[in-house]
Amino acid sequence: MTHSRGLLPLAAFPRNLRPASAGVTSPNPSPLDTRDAGPRPGSPLWAYLTVVSAAGVLALVIALVRPGLGGLAEAARTPLLWLVLVLVVLGELRPVMVNSSASLVGGTPTSTMFAFAALMHYGLPTAALMQAVAVIVTGLAYHRAWHRILFNLATVMLACTAAAVVLGAFGVRPSPGSAWVPDGSGIPAIVLAGLAYFVVRGWLVCGAVALHERRPVGRVIRASIGPQSLGYGALLGLAPLVAVVMAHSPALIPLFIAPLIAVYFTAMLLLRRDHQATHDGLTGLPNRKMLILRTEEALAEARPDERIGLLLLDLDRFKEVNDTLGHPVGDRLLQIVAHRLIHSVRPGDMVARLGGDEFAVLLPSIRDAHAAREVASRLRVALTEPVRLEGMTFDIDASIGIALYPDHAPDFELLLQRSDVAMYLAKEARTGVEFYVPDKDRNSPERLSLLGDLRQAVDSGELGLHYQPKVSLDDGRVESVEALLRWWHPVRGPVAPAEFIPLAEQSYLMREITRNVIEQALEQADRWWREGVEVPISVNVSARDLLDSSLPEQLEAGLGAYGLPAAAIQLEVTERILTTDQAYTAETVRTLAGLGIQLALDDFGTGYSSLVRLQRLPVAEVKIDASFIRRVEESADDERIVQSIIDLVRSLGLRSVAEGVESAEVAARLHKMGCHAGQGWWLAKPLPPEEATVWLRSRLSEAFTERPKDAARLAPRH
């Protein structure tokens, strides 16, 4: 996380509006916050601050002692000097922030306008003393450490000295007893003096930020030069006008406060909007948008000998806290997590919240994989410290996946995707931290290209649903319809689900796709149920989806929004859930059962299921894999397997559904074996919503439902 506010005027910026990259944490900082402890003695940053601070203090002493203090004592008797001093102090307390990018090196203090005017009118000693008083008062008001106060004091002293030297080169040497009033002939001197002030102060501050964050100084300058030049240019440009008013109409000086207040609050509103667009509202951390910008910036400026790391972090057992103590406590826990994370990374690293209990950590510059693992270990240690909320003490942990540039990926999208794969591996293996391993990722370059297209497809609405009915083999009635995802690629045409679904299941897109499918299914169910077509829709979800604590929340909210009963939606999960301890025991499964949402076990017979687990899992339906159904007439072994599954499912009080029913003969045989329902192209092919609606209405009409059972049972889809 960027800690530049530990050095710079940014600390004067209000906490509730500071960008998280400048150190915003949780509403209640920890007493163990050591950001003001100062740089490590002997470090490059410590040496830099020491040299700059010493030079600044020396410049202040020379400015006050060399001409003597007699002129200052005389000027102190005039109300004008005290008025300007008050304005300088107030301006130092409230800097103007043009946008969030200015947070890197702090805002532009409005004191610059009055201090530069005092420099031109009264000379360096008076201006230096005013700036010194303003910096010290501001530091004390914001409880800054003395090393920070000295550095800020040094930067303004050296900047004022540079400006005074330029003015002196043009023969302008004002003093309290011999004030200078700017005129047209002094424009070159004013412009160059203002430029010297801006360059010296900006260069010193950028140097400190670069050392503090371990970033190239050129990168810091490029990131801040635009906003800073606008602010300083406007204030320094108005300073000569202030000096003229000081000479001829001092009583009018307070009028300058009004436009400054207007500029200040306008900038605050703009910054608030900018901050809201790039930061998470709950934790104050950067969001995905800001993470993309910072990662792409780091990638563009990466040196050949350095690596960039992206860590994806997902909290374990967060759902338990949320369900037990409620969402307000869960939100507070996320704030605590955010606070711990930003105090566990190095200066210059970024912590972002991607949503829910998922966080990302960007390491813009690291030596090697070992350094990345050290950061990840430090994060886990910080998170495992017991948390006390609502009078309860409990532990939290996290699974972290790491991907490195250029070792694992060349751009942000792939870094995020591959750190997500690594995080899922860490969660499955319960190891806590895992690096991306190509051998454990089935993605090829072509499939990764397809992943990028898939993301665009999700955003542009290219994904749609077809619906395939499940038909009772006893009387031909419609039991439900299964929502099947379809993708029509603008260039490739239709993309087979078998090609992109496994790819999505290994990526960060799976959650988003699942949410999209559920929303489409709920919308369709709403249309059907309002028209009297009360047919449940089943949606396929992965074992990974069952680890997502937001899944029940989305379903509950969606059903409530449309006024649908829980019976309107079903979820299908593959048999592999029975071999995955974490997914099988997930609280999400119990929450779904509590909502009344039925689960179906898909592709049964292809895995290595435990009968005990099948009995304990809250499923209402078991779907027999099509590979057995297609061979049921050809293979006695497959027929015995299917019969055994049907008998087993019936003994457990569950419904059995045969997939891949492609002929009347197979349907008749399955009915004789006691199979409850079937699904396949002979019964009904997957249909787009409009055709599915027509098909369902025909099946629900009296002309069909009153047919004899035998005729209805064997009626094909047409």
Side-chain angles (χ1 to χ4, degrees):
M1 201 66 178
T2 306
H3 291 173
S4 56
R5 77 182 181 95
L7 301 171
L8 308 172
L10 178 61
F13 197 61
R15 175 176 294 274
N16 62 330
L17 286 182
R18 285 183 216 154
S21 59
V24 172
T25 60
S26 60
N28 300 311
S30 166
L32 300 178
D33 187 344
T34 59
R35 283 174 291 173
D36 272 356
R40 178 174 53 83
S43 66
L45 178 59
W46 176 86
Y48 179 83
L49 296 182
T50 301
V51 171
V52 173
S53 299
V57 172
L58 179 62
L60 174 61
V61 172
I62 293 175
L64 295 178
V65 173
R66 185 176 179 183
L69 300 178
L72 285 174
E74 181 180 348
R77 300 190 183 97
T78 63
L80 175 60
L81 186 141
W82 291 101
L83 174 61
V84 175
L85 175 61
V86 170
L87 294 177
V88 170
V89 172
L90 293 177
E92 194 72 25
L93 286 168
R94 285 288 180 257
V96 173
M97 302 291 291
V98 180
N99 57 30
S100 60
S101 61
S103 66
L104 189 65
V105 295
T108 306
T110 53
S111 62
T112 301
M113 182 173 73
F114 298 107
F116 195 64
L119 176 67
M120 290 185 291
H121 191 65
Y122 287 128
L124 178 61
T126 303
L129 187 59
M130 287 183 175
Q131 284 279 39
V133 171
V135 169
I136 293 173
V137 169
T138 302
L140 295 176
Y142 288 105
H143 306 287
R144 296 176 185 164
W146 277 105
H147 74 274
R148 296 169 60 189
I149 297 176
L150 285 176
F151 178 79
N152 289 335
L153 175 64
T155 58
V156 296
M157 288 302 102
L158 294 174
C160 286
T161 301
V165 169
V166 172
L167 290 175
F170 283 86
V172 179
R173 298 180 178 84
S175 66
S178 179
W180 181 59
V181 181
D183 54 23
S185 62
I187 291 179
I190 295 172
V191 171
L192 291 177
L195 183 62
Y197 182 96
F198 171 68
V199 169
V200 170
R201 188 169 186 181
W203 184 271
L204 292 173
V205 170
C206 288
V209 172
L211 288 172
H212 188 248
E213 299 188 353
R214 302 173 187 177
R215 303 175 64 184
V217 66
R219 183 186 301 177
V220 177
I221 291 175
R222 283 193 295 273
S224 59
I225 186 66
Q228 292 291 306
S229 60
L230 286 175
Y232 276 102
L235 293 172
L236 293 172
L238 289 173
L241 181 59
V242 176
V244 172
V245 174
M246 290 170 63
H248 298 290
S249 303
L252 298 179
I253 289 181
L255 296 181
F256 285 99
I257 298 176
L260 288 179
I261 291 176
V263 170
Y264 175 79
F265 282 105
T266 301
M268 293 283 282
L269 290 175
L270 293 175
L271 181 63
R272 185 185 295 273
R273 293 177 184 174
D274 186 41
H275 186 270
Q276 290 174 344
T278 56
H279 291 76
D280 172 56
L282 176 65
T283 62
L285 295 176
N287 59 15
R288 177 188 171 89
K289 180 179 179 181
M290 177 63 77
L291 178 65
I292 293 174
L293 293 175
R294 281 291 304 275
T295 305
E296 291 179 344
E297 175 186 305
L299 292 172
E301 300 180 354
R303 294 191 294 263
D305 60 338
E306 71 178 4
R307 283 166 172 74
I308 296 170
L310 186 63
L311 282 60
L312 206 60
L313 181 150
D314 189 83
L315 298 182
D316 300 333
R317 299 186 297 278
F318 174 74
K319 174 68 174 175
E320 298 176 11
V321 179
N322 232 17
D323 289 346
T324 304
L325 302 180
H327 291 289
V329 177
D331 290 346
R332 176 66 184 128
L333 177 60
L334 291 175
Q335 292 175 329
I336 292 174
V337 168
H339 178 71
R340 290 184 178 183
L341 291 178
I342 66 171
H343 287 86
S344 302
V345 297
R346 310 164 309 162
D349 296 341
M350 168 183 276
V351 179
R353 183 185 179 215
L354 301 183
D357 59 344
E358 195 169 60
F359 297 83
V361 178
L362 172 65
L363 311 179
S365 176
I366 53 173
R367 299 185 311 275
D368 48 31
H370 180 69
R373 183 177 286 277
E374 284 183 349
V375 175
S377 299
R378 196 158 58 241
L379 293 174
R380 294 194 71 230
V381 169
L383 292 179
T384 53
E385 182 182 347
V387 176
R388 185 171 181 81
L389 287 173
E390 299 294 314
M392 299 174 60
T393 301
F394 50 88
D395 298 323
I396 57 174
D397 204 346
S399 299
I400 302 177
I402 306 174
L404 303 178
Y405 165 88
D407 305 57
H408 302 141
D411 55 38
F412 171 78
E413 290 294 340
L414 287 183
L415 272 175
L416 184 61
Q417 186 265 333
R418 291 179 173 177
S419 61
D420 185 74
V421 170
M423 182 193 72
Y424 191 44
L425 293 174
K427 192 174 285 289
E428 279 189 326
R430 299 186 180 182
T431 55
V433 179
E434 287 287 342
F435 280 92
Y436 173 77
V437 179
D439 293 343
K440 297 183 180 180
D441 189 350
R442 299 192 302 267
N443 299 324
S444 65
E446 293 76 14
R447 297 181 73 194
L448 291 176
S449 173
L450 192 64
L451 179 65
D453 294 343
L454 181 58
R455 171 160 189 81
Q456 294 180 3
V458 174
D459 295 337
S460 59
E462 295 174 14
L463 300 180
L465 297 181
H466 283 198
Y467 299 91
Q468 186 174 29
K470 304 175 189 176
V471 179
S472 169
L473 296 177
D474 182 48
D475 57 13
R477 294 178 184 272
V478 180
E479 297 285 331
S480 62
V481 295
E482 180 181 0
L484 301 172
L485 191 61
R486 295 292 184 263
W487 177 18
W488 185 273
H489 193 282
V491 177
R492 306 184 189 194
V495 182
E499 188 175 352
F500 71 87
I501 293 296
L503 181 63
E505 287 181 340
Q506 276 200 337
S507 78
Y508 58 94
L509 283 177
M510 196 63 237
R511 287 184 180 179
E512 193 171 347
I513 290 175
T514 299
R515 295 181 67 86
N516 180 274
V517 168
I518 290 175
E519 180 59 32
Q520 289 190 52
L522 287 171
E523 289 179 3
Q524 186 61 57
D526 177 55
R527 285 192 290 269
W528 281 344
W529 285 61
R530 281 192 285 107
E531 296 173 3
V533 183
E534 297 182 355
V535 177
I537 297 178
S538 59
V539 175
N540 289 278
V541 296
S542 66
R544 184 173 187 175
D545 290 319
L546 293 181
L547 298 175
D548 184 2
S549 60
S550 65
L551 178 63
E553 298 171 5
Q554 182 194 5
L555 287 167
E556 185 177 17
L559 291 171
Y562 290 113
L564 292 169
I569 199 81
Q570 296 176 342
L571 298 181
E572 293 189 11
V573 295
T574 62
E575 185 187 7
R576 283 177 297 174
I577 188 177
L578 297 179
T579 62
T580 306
D581 289 337
Q582 195 169 13
Y584 171 72
T585 58
E587 180 66 26
T588 306
V589 175
R590 292 188 289 272
T591 304
L592 291 170
L595 294 175
I597 296 174
Q598 292 190 347
L599 295 180
L601 204 60
D602 200 7
D603 300 332
F604 191 81
T606 59
Y608 300 93
S609 301
S610 164
L611 182 60
V612 174
R613 289 186 172 185
L614 176 60
Q615 188 176 18
R616 292 173 55 193
L617 191 68
V619 299
E621 181 179 289
V622 173
K623 299 181 70 176
I624 308 170
D625 189 70
S627 62
F628 298 110
I629 303 301
R630 293 192 184 102
R631 298 191 299 266
V632 74
E633 286 194 305
E634 305 170 2
S635 169
D637 290 337
D638 285 305
E639 183 178 7
R640 282 191 292 271
I641 291 174
V642 172
Q643 184 68 68
S644 298
I645 294 176
I646 292 173
D647 293 341
L648 169 64
V649 171
R650 185 192 303 114
S651 68
L652 295 177
L654 308 177
R655 297 191 303 270
S656 58
V657 178
E659 298 181 292
V661 179
E662 307 298 343
S663 68
E665 292 75 19
V666 171
R669 186 179 291 267
L670 289 169
H671 177 259
K672 184 178 179 180
M673 297 168 75
C675 186
H676 183 77
Q679 185 178 9
W681 276 58
W682 183 79
L683 294 167
K685 67 178 182 179
L687 301 168
E690 298 79 9
E691 295 181 25
T693 302
V694 174
W695 192 94
L696 289 172
R697 284 174 178 166
S698 69
R699 282 289 174 134
L700 295 175
S701 67
E702 293 183 2
F704 182 86
T705 56
E706 293 179 358
R707 299 174 67 189
K709 283 188 176 183
D710 289 342
R713 174 172 55 81
L714 298 179
R717 59 183 173 83
H718 53 273

